[in-house]
C-alpha cells in the first residue's frame, strides 16, 4: 500500500471474510507480507476508523454472516469511488476480476444454473467447452517464448499480440505462467506463509499456489477478461488416500468467464509437479488443468463455495473425501472409468479385482507395496483386468500405472487394500511379470492367433503344448521360471522345446515338478541388432506331485526354426540302451548321431530322418548334420546327456 505523506491521495481496499465460523482479514494488494492491515492503516495517520471497523468485524465470532463480505474504501474526497472486491485465503489476498454493468457497478457475475455441468462425468470431453487444441499451436509456441521486459502490463501486452479473443487471451496467459513460474516448495512448506505479490513473482519467477492464482487473475484483469481466484481443499502434493479435510484451505485456483459462462483452471498444477521423495519441482506441462470439465475437476479440487464447483448437483465435502481420486494422467492417457469406484478395497477370499476401461489399447503395470508381484494383470483391447493376491493380512498400497502414447509409465490410480485372509495356495512366481496372457499388444509385436488365449494354463501331467502364428521376420524366445526346484538360469530354456511348422511356432513345455511357473515370451526382429523384448507370460499350474520331467535336449544355432523333433524329447537318455531318433530336418545332405560310436540317420518317405544309437560307454550324445554333400564338415544341432550307469 502506498500512502502519501499528507495522507490524502490513497486508495485502500480492505475485506473481511467469515467462512465456516472462522474470521479472515484480507491484506491489501500492496501491503507487506504478514503485516496487520489495521496497524498499517494507523501508521498512515487518520485511518484509525478503518482499523476499528476491521476489529469490530473480527469480534463477530459465531455470527451467521457466512460468506459475507465487507469492502472498506479510503480515497481522496474529490475522487470517484472505485470498488475492488477482495477475498483472502488464510493470510493471502486475491483480487477478483471486474465486470461492469449498465449501472456502472463493477462486480463479477456469480456462477448460476447455466454454468453448471451434470455430475457424474458424461465422458463427452475433458474440457468444459468445445476445444480443438490444434488451434492453439501457434499461440502456445509464441506465448511460451515471451520474456519479461519491464512490468506486468507490458508482459500482458506482449502476450496479447497473437491473441484475438478472450479464449486466446486466457490461453496465452495460461501458457506463459505454466512455462515460466516455478513452484516454490520451500515457501509452500512454511507454517506462516507469506503473500506473493505479482511484482515479486515476476522478479523471482517463483510462487506457491495462491501466487499462481493471484498472478493469473491479475494478468486476466489487465487483459480485460473476468477472472476470480477460488480457494479450497485439494488432493495434491502430500495427499494420502482416504484423507479427511478440515481447517484452513490448502490450495487456490481460478475461474474465468468465457463465452457466457464460467470455466475452471489451475495453473499451479498445469506447470509441473513436485517429486514426493526429493521435494523438488520439475516443469512438466499438464494440459488437463486448462478449462477442465467440472465433473473431473471436483476429483481433486473442492472450493470454499459450492457454487464454484460448477456442478449439478454439487458434491459435499464428505463425498469429495470418499470419492475415488483419478489422477490427471488417468484422463490424459485415455482412461474412462475404473472399478471399484472406492479408494479402499476389502479382499474377498484373499483376492482383489480391479478393472479399467480406456478409449484405446493401453499398456498397464502395477505395484503392490512397491513391488511388481502378487498379481495377474491382463490387457484388454479397451482397458485391463488386475487380480491381486496380497501375501499377508493387513493394509497394502496398490498403485496402477499406464503408458499411453508416451514411453513413460505414469501413476493413474492408487488403492488401499484391506486383507483379512491369505490363500496360501495362490502364491505366484516372483518372476511372473506383466502382462499375463496374449493380447492386442502381443499381436502388435508379431504373435498371432495363440492356441491358449487365457493367461492361466492348467496341466495335470506337467506337460503342455502352446502354439501361435509369428509375423514375418520375427524370432521368438521362451523361458520358464519357478520359485523352487531345479530351474536355474542355465536351464530356464531347457524345459521348453521350440519348433516351427505350418507357419506356426510350437512350444513344448515339461515341468520339473508340481507348482506354479511363469512362461515368458520374448520377440526380436531378425534384421535388427539388440536383445529380445519381453512381450507377455503365461502362468502354468500343475498340482500333480508325481510330475518330474527332465529338461529337453540342448539345441544349437544350426537347429533351424522349421526343424521338428519327434523323439527322443527328453534331454537325458538312459545308459546302455538303444534309443530311437526321429527328426524332420530341412536343407541337409546327411544326418547322424554320435556317442561312443557314430550311427547314421536315414531319410524315410515321409521326410523324417530316422535311426537309433546305443548309449553304452558315453556321457553325451549329439545329433550332427552335413548341410552340403560336397563338404565333409558336420555341425552340432542337438545335445543329450546320458544317465550315469
Amino acid at each position: 500500500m502506498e500512502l502519501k505523506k499528507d495522507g490524502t491521495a490513497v486508495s485502500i481496499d480492505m475485506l473481511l471474510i467469515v467462512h465456516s465460523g472462522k474470521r479472515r482479514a484480507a491484506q491489501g494488494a500492496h501491503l507487506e507480507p504478514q503485516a496487520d492491515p489495521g496497524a498499517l492503516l494507523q501508521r498512515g495517520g487518520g485511518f484509525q476508523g478503518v482499523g476499528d471497523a476491521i476489529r469490530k468485524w473480527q469480534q463477530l465470532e459465531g455470527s451467521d454472516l457466512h460468506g459475507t463480505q465487507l469492502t472498506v474504501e479510503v480515497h481522496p474526497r474529490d475522487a470517484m469511488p472505485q470498488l475492488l472486491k477482495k477475498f483472502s485465503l488464510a493470510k493471502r489476498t486475491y483480487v477478483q476480476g471486474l465486470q461492469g454493468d449498465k449501472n456502472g457497478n463493477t462486480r463479477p457475475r456469480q456462477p448460476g444454473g447455466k454454468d453448471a455441468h451434470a455430475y457424474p462425468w458424461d465422458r463427452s470431453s475433458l474440457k468444459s467447452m468445445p476445444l480443438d487444441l490444434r488451434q492453439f499451436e501457434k499461440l502456445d509456441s509464441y506465448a511460451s517464448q515471451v520474456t519479461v521486459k519491464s512490468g506486468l502490463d507490458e508482459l500482458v501486452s506482449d502476450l496479447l499480440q497473437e491473441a484475438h479473443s478472450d479464449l486466446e487471451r486466457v490461453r496465452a496467459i495460461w501458457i506463459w505462467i505454466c512455462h515460466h513460474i516455478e513452484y516454490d516448495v520451500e515457501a509452500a512448506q512454511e507454517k506462516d506463509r507469506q503473500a506473493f505479490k505479482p511484482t515479486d513473482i515476476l522478479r523471482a519467477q517463483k510462487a506457491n499456489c495462491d501466487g499462481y492464482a493471484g498472478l493469473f487473475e491479475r494478468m486476466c484483469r489487465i487483459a480485460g477478461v473476468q477472472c476470480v481466484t477460488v480457494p479450497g481443499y485439494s488432493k495434491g502434493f502430500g495427499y494420502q488416500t482416504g484423507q479427511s479435510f478440515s481447517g484452513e484451505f490448502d490450495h487456490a485456483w481460478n475461474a474465468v468467464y468465457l463465452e457466457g459462462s464460467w470455466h475452471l483452471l489451475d495453473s499451479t498444477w498445469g506447470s509441473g509437479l513436485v517429486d514426493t521423495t526429493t521435494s523438488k519441482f520439475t516443469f512438466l506441462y499438464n494440459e488437463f488443468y486448462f478449462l477442465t470439465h467440472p465433473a473431473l475437476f471436483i476429483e481433486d479440487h473442492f472450493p470454499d463455495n459450492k457454487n464454484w464447483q460448477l456442478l449439478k448437483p454439487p458434491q459435499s465435502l464428505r463425498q469429495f473425501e470418499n470419492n475415488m481420486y483419478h489422477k490427471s494422467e488417468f484422463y490424459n492417457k485415455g482412461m474412462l472409468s475404473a472399478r471399484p469406484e472406492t479408494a479402499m478395497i476389502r479382499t474377498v477370499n484373499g483376492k482383489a479385482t480391479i478393472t479399467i476401461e480406456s478409449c484405446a489399447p493401453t499398456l498397464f503395470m502395477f505395484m503392490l507395496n512397491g513391488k511388481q508381484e502378487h498379481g495377474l494383470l491382463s490387457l484388454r483391447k479397451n482397458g485391463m483386468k488386475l487380480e491381486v493376491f496380497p501375501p499377508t493380512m493387513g493394509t497394502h498400497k496398490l498403485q496402477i500405472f499406464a503408458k499411453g502414447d508416451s514411453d513413460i509409465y505414469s501413476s493413474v490410480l492408487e488403492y488401499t487394500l484391506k486383507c483379512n485372509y491369505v490363500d496360501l495356495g495362490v502364491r505366484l512366481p516372483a518372476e511372473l511379470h506383466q502382462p499375463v496372457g496374449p493380447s492386442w499388444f502381443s499381436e502388435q509385436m508379431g504373435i498371432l492367433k495363440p492356441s491358449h488365449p487365457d493367461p492361466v494354463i492348467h496341466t495335470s501331467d506337467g506337460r503342455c503344448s502352446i502354439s501361435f502364428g509369428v509375423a514375418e521376420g520375427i524370432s521368438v524366445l521362451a523361458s520358464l521360471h519357478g520359485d523352487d526346484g531345479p530351474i536355474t538360469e542355465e536351464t530356464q530354456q531347457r524345459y521348453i522345446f521350440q519348433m516351427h511348422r505350418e507357419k506356426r511356432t510350437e512350444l513344448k513345455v515339461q515341468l520339473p515338478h508340481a507348482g506354479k511357473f511363469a512362461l515368458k515370451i520374448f520377440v526380436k526382429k531378425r534384421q535388427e541388432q539388440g536383445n529380445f523384448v519381453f512381450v507377455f507370460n503365461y502362468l502354468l499350474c500343475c498340482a500333480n506331485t508325481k510330475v518330474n520331467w527332465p529338461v529337453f535336449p540342448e539345441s544349437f544355432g544350426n537347429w533351424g526354426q522349421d526343424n521338428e523333433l519327434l523323439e527322443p524329447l527328453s534331454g537325458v537318455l538312459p545308459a546302455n540302451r538303444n534309443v530311437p531318433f526321429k527328426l524332420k530336418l530341412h536343407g541337409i545332405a546327411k544326418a547322424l548321431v554320435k556317442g561312443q560310436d557314430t550311427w547314421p540317420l536315414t531319410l524315410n518317405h515321409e521326410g523324417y530322418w530316422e535311426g537309433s544309437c546305443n548309449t553304452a560307454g558315453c556321457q553325451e550324445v549329439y545329433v550332427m548334420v552335413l548341410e552340403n554333400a560336397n563338404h565333409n564338415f558336420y555341425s552340432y544341432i542337438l545335445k543329450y546327456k546320458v544317465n550315469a550307469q
Side-chain angles (χ1 to χ4, degrees):
M1 177 179 65
E2 297 179 359
L3 300 179
K4 289 192 176 180
K5 291 184 178 179
D6 60 3
T8 59
V10 297
S11 178
I12 303 173
D13 304 284
M14 304 299 300
L15 167 71
L16 182 72
I17 294 182
V18 180
H19 178 85
S20 299
K22 295 189 177 182
R23 303 177 308 278
R24 295 188 174 98
Q27 297 171 291
H30 300 289
L31 295 181
E32 292 300 318
Q34 303 183 43
D36 175 71
L40 283 176
L41 289 172
Q42 291 170 358
R43 286 188 218 128
F47 298 97
Q48 292 89 340
V50 176
D52 291 339
I54 295 294
R55 281 187 287 275
K56 287 181 180 179
W57 276 89
Q58 291 174 334
Q59 293 170 3
L60 294 176
E61 178 72 47
S63 73
D64 60 354
L65 297 174
H66 178 78
T68 303
Q69 302 182 1
L70 171 66
T71 300
V72 182
E73 296 181 72
V74 183
H75 51 81
R77 293 181 180 178
D78 57 349
M80 292 295 292
Q82 293 182 343
L83 177 63
L84 290 177
K85 295 181 68 178
K86 298 183 178 181
F87 67 94
S88 113
L89 170 62
K91 295 188 176 182
R92 300 174 291 284
T93 301
Y94 308 95
V95 182
Q96 292 185 341
L98 305 180
Q99 176 188 16
D101 61 22
K102 61 183 180 180
N103 298 320
N105 296 319
T106 52
R107 44 180 78 144
R109 182 183 71 75
Q110 293 297 304
K114 72 174 185 177
D115 300 291
H117 295 253
Y119 184 89
W121 184 45
D122 60 7
R123 300 185 178 188
S124 60
S125 171
L126 300 182
K127 303 296 185 181
S128 54
M129 64 188 299
L131 287 182
D132 181 357
L133 296 178
R134 292 173 295 183
Q135 75 183 80
F136 296 131
E137 288 177 357
K138 181 179 178 182
L139 178 62
D140 289 356
S141 177
Y142 168 78
S144 64
Q145 298 177 53
V146 171
T147 58
V148 179
K149 296 174 182 175
S150 57
L152 202 56
D153 289 344
E154 185 177 4
L155 171 61
V156 174
S157 178
D158 289 344
L159 286 171
L160 300 190
Q161 294 299 313
E162 298 293 330
H164 308 293
S165 66
D166 279 356
L167 173 59
E168 291 186 348
R169 294 180 187 99
V170 168
R171 180 70 179 190
I173 294 168
W174 157 270
I175 287 293
W176 188 88
I177 290 179
C178 288
H179 287 80
H180 290 84
I181 304 303
E182 177 182 347
Y183 188 76
D184 194 332
V185 179
E186 292 182 3
Q189 293 175 341
E190 292 176 359
K191 291 183 179 180
D192 197 6
R193 293 166 60 181
Q194 299 183 0
F196 279 79
K197 295 189 292 185
T199 52
D200 294 336
I201 296 174
L202 286 189
R203 182 178 64 255
Q205 298 212 346
K206 279 188 174 185
N208 57 16
C209 58
D210 39 320
Y212 277 93
L215 178 64
F216 190 93
E217 181 184 332
R218 181 76 172 272
M219 293 175 75
C220 282
R221 270 198 295 132
I222 295 172
V225 178
Q226 289 188 72
C227 178
V228 299
T229 300
V230 182
Y233 296 122
S234 68
K235 295 179 179 178
F237 178 64
Y239 168 73
Q240 299 293 323
T241 302
Q243 172 184 329
S244 60
F245 295 87
S246 62
E248 293 185 351
F249 299 117
D250 60 9
H251 194 43
W253 53 94
N254 295 101
V256 289
Y257 194 73
L258 296 170
E259 299 182 10
S261 61
W262 288 101
H263 303 270
L264 302 169
L265 52 82
D266 185 341
S267 57
T268 309
W269 291 5
S271 64
L273 49 83
V274 176
D275 189 315
T276 55
T277 57
T278 64
S279 294
K280 299 293 184 183
F281 174 80
T282 301
F283 277 107
L284 186 63
Y285 177 71
N286 192 343
E287 173 64 37
F288 179 76
Y289 290 106
F290 179 74
L291 309 187
T292 315
H293 194 292
L296 304 180
F297 204 76
I298 191 62
E299 291 204 20
D300 45 20
H301 292 74
F302 187 83
D304 69 326
N305 184 329
K306 67 179 181 181
N307 291 335
W308 286 114
Q309 294 181 23
L310 306 184
L311 288 177
K312 182 172 58 178
Q315 300 292 286
S316 68
L317 180 58
R318 179 61 61 86
Q319 287 174 306
F320 174 74
E321 292 171 343
N322 293 337
N323 283 349
M324 185 62 204
Y325 170 38
H326 304 92
K327 299 183 179 182
S328 62
E329 285 300 285
F330 181 90
Y331 298 107
N332 283 339
K333 293 186 180 295
M335 309 298 105
L336 294 172
S337 65
R339 300 286 186 275
E341 294 182 326
T342 56
M344 195 274 287
I345 306 174
R346 295 189 182 277
T347 60
V348 178
N349 296 326
K351 181 177 77 171
T353 302
I354 295 92
T355 59
I356 292 180
E357 181 184 359
S358 59
C359 295
T362 305
L363 288 175
F364 294 89
M365 61 171 282
F366 76 92
M367 282 191 176
L368 183 67
N369 302 324
K371 295 182 179 180
Q372 299 182 47
E373 298 178 358
H374 309 296
L376 299 174
L377 188 153
S378 54
L379 299 176
R380 296 175 172 177
K381 194 165 186 179
N382 291 98
M384 70 89 172
K385 178 182 179 181
L386 171 63
E387 294 178 313
V388 183
F389 305 88
T392 60
M393 292 189 292
T395 301
H396 303 266
K397 180 180 180 181
L398 175 64
Q399 296 169 284
I400 298 176
F401 304 81
K403 193 171 185 180
D405 295 329
S406 70
D407 292 330
I408 301 173
Y409 281 93
S410 301
S411 176
V412 295
L413 282 178
E414 286 188 11
Y415 286 97
T416 298
L417 304 187
K418 300 283 189 179
C419 179
N420 57 9
Y421 170 77
V422 175
D423 186 349
L424 298 178
V426 187
R427 190 165 63 93
L428 302 175
E431 286 290 327
L432 187 73
H433 290 171
Q434 308 153 45
V436 180
S439 67
W440 62 266
F441 178 65
S442 56
E443 183 176 340
Q444 180 179 295
M445 296 297 286
I447 296 179
L448 316 171
K449 298 180 179 179
S451 59
H452 293 68
D454 294 329
V456 182
I457 299 175
H458 293 274
T459 168
S460 58
D461 65 355
R463 296 184 296 180
C464 65
S465 178
I466 301 163
S467 65
F468 41 77
V470 179
E472 189 70 27
I474 296 294
S475 295
V476 176
L477 179 69
S479 60
L480 188 71
H481 305 261
D483 290 340
D484 306 309
I487 297 181
T488 64
E489 189 171 345
E490 293 181 356
T491 60
Q492 286 171 357
Q493 297 174 36
R494 296 288 305 283
Y495 289 95
I496 306 163
F497 199 79
Q498 182 174 330
M499 293 181 290
H500 192 81
R501 56 174 146 179
E502 298 179 359
K503 297 182 180 181
R504 288 181 69 82
T505 291
E506 181 182 7
L507 302 177
K508 291 182 178 294
V509 183
Q510 296 182 163
L511 302 180
H513 55 80
K516 292 183 173 63
F517 299 83
L519 176 63
K520 293 187 177 181
I521 312 294
F522 303 82
V523 300
K524 184 175 81 71
K525 292 183 179 179
R526 292 180 199 147
Q527 303 298 327
E528 296 182 1
Q529 299 294 322
N531 299 323
F532 280 83
V533 177
F534 172 74
V535 180
F536 74 97
N537 42 211
Y538 283 106
L539 175 64
L540 306 185
C541 303
C542 178
N544 187 349
T545 57
K546 295 181 180 180
V547 165
N548 184 23
W549 290 106
V551 294
F552 286 101
E554 183 178 356
S555 60
F556 298 102
N558 287 335
W559 174 262
Q561 269 205 334
D562 293 332
N563 291 344
E564 183 180 347
L565 175 65
L566 270 69
E567 58 177 347
L569 289 175
S570 172
V572 181
L573 304 179
N576 303 316
R577 296 280 185 88
N578 282 320
V579 179
F581 280 77
K582 187 175 183 179
L583 311 89
K584 180 169 281 189
L585 306 172
H586 298 274
I588 66 160
K590 294 182 179 180
L592 59 82
V593 179
K594 178 174 173 44
Q596 183 75 9
D597 298 310
T598 300
W599 292 268
L601 300 178
T602 57
L603 184 63
N604 68 19
H605 67 280
E606 295 177 338
Y608 289 96
W609 291 86
E610 290 183 303
S612 63
C613 84
N614 191 286
T615 58
C618 58
Q619 296 178 335
E620 295 173 340
V621 171
Y622 295 90
V623 177
M624 306 175 69
V625 297
L626 180 67
E627 296 179 4
N628 190 326
N630 297 321
H631 298 160
N632 58 4
F633 179 76
Y634 281 80
S635 301
Y636 293 94
I637 60 172
L638 293 176
K639 175 184 176 181
Y640 293 84
K641 287 189 176 296
V642 178
N643 270 329
Q645 297 183 18

